[in-house]
Amino acid sequence: MNQYYIYRLEHGLTTAEQRAADQRIGELAAALADLRGALALSLDRGLGALKALGRVNRTRKEASAAAAALVGH
């Protein structure tokens, strides 16, 4: 292993390097939060569409049953 890398392992990051690393971690956390929010919104829309389909099918079945009851009556 190179002497420079051994020194770096022993002494850690400089203040400027630590600030830069913290900045990158903060940007990554913000990007992940945005992604999580977009995914949640997408899933919510998808589930809403599925619920709407279920309501349409149920309404059609109820309408058909009511029409059959009227005709059979």
Side-chain angles (χ1 to χ4, degrees):
M1 199 174 213
N2 189 336
Q3 290 290 349
Y4 173 75
Y5 291 111
I6 292 173
Y7 174 84
R8 295 297 301 217
L9 287 173
E10 291 174 351
H11 295 282
L13 300 176
T14 65
T15 304
E17 290 169 331
Q18 185 64 53
R19 273 195 309 270
D22 291 343
Q23 174 80 25
R24 287 190 302 270
I25 289 172
E27 290 169 357
L28 177 62
L32 287 174
D34 290 345
L35 179 63
R36 185 175 57 229
L39 180 61
L41 181 62
S42 177
L43 287 174
D44 189 43
R45 286 181 178 167
L47 289 175
L50 287 175
K51 286 180 183 178
L53 285 175
R55 283 191 298 270
V56 168
N57 285 339
R58 186 176 58 236
T59 303
R60 284 184 185 158
K61 287 179 185 177
E62 290 170 358
S64 295
L70 288 176
V71 171
H73 192 327

